[in-house]
Amino acid sequence: MLEPSHNDELPVIPGKRYFTIGEVSELCAVKPHVLRYWEQEFPQLNPVKRRGNRRYYQRQDVLMIRQIRALLYDQGFTIGGARQRLSGDEAKDDSTQYKQLIKQMITELEDVLLVLKK
């Protein structure tokens, strides 16, 4: 398991529309069975299900999973506390998701800059 200080070292989210549960597992450093459990516990997580009940997560789902992971693993919230935090008024003020999105955009822009310099 990653230590709290390694949360910033999660991989960059690729510019895809849909992600499989295996891809999300790697992007968020959480095992697939934990993701399936979190779907039951957090109503905000609702991946698209296709043929054979295969789950396909979108970018906002991945960001939400990273936010849930940060609340549970880094900040020490319980499942109930994290659920309350995400569904309550504090979720509107919480900038964790926006910070992750900004970091992601900065990384992508830096990659574009490297390509342009070649």
Side-chain angles (χ1 to χ4, degrees):
M1 183 167 23
L2 295 176
E3 295 181 20
S5 61
H6 291 107
N7 196 28
D8 293 336
E9 297 177 12
L10 290 174
V12 174
I13 303 170
K16 294 171 50 175
R17 183 167 179 146
Y18 294 104
F19 302 91
T20 64
I21 193 167
E23 292 170 330
V24 174
S25 173
E26 290 178 17
L27 289 171
C28 299
V30 176
K31 295 195 177 189
H33 70 272
V34 174
L35 293 172
R36 288 189 292 271
Y37 174 68
W38 286 355
E39 283 177 34
Q40 297 171 356
E41 296 297 322
F42 296 95
Q44 298 90 340
L45 275 183
N46 193 15
V48 177
K49 289 190 180 175
R50 299 236 174 107
R51 281 182 289 147
N53 256 355
R54 298 190 96 185
R55 291 164 171 80
Y56 290 96
Y57 296 86
Q58 295 180 0
R59 180 180 221 75
Q60 68 265 19
D61 295 323
V62 176
L63 291 172
M64 179 60 68
I65 291 167
R66 286 186 172 191
Q67 189 172 7
I68 291 169
R69 182 187 182 284
L71 288 172
L72 296 176
Y73 295 172
D74 300 339
Q75 298 176 27
F77 279 79
T78 61
I79 294 276
R83 186 184 315 116
Q84 193 173 24
R85 173 84 183 253
L86 290 172
S87 64
D89 292 332
E90 295 177 42
K92 294 177 183 125
D93 299 329
D94 195 2
S95 62
T96 306
Q97 191 171 4
Y98 295 111
K99 287 179 184 176
Q100 288 179 348
L101 186 60
I102 290 170
K103 282 183 189 177
Q104 172 79 26
M105 291 174 70
I106 290 171
T107 305
E108 290 174 3
L109 288 171
E110 287 172 345
D111 291 345
V112 169
L113 188 60
L114 286 174
V115 170
L116 290 174
K117 284 184 178 179
K118 290 183 181 179

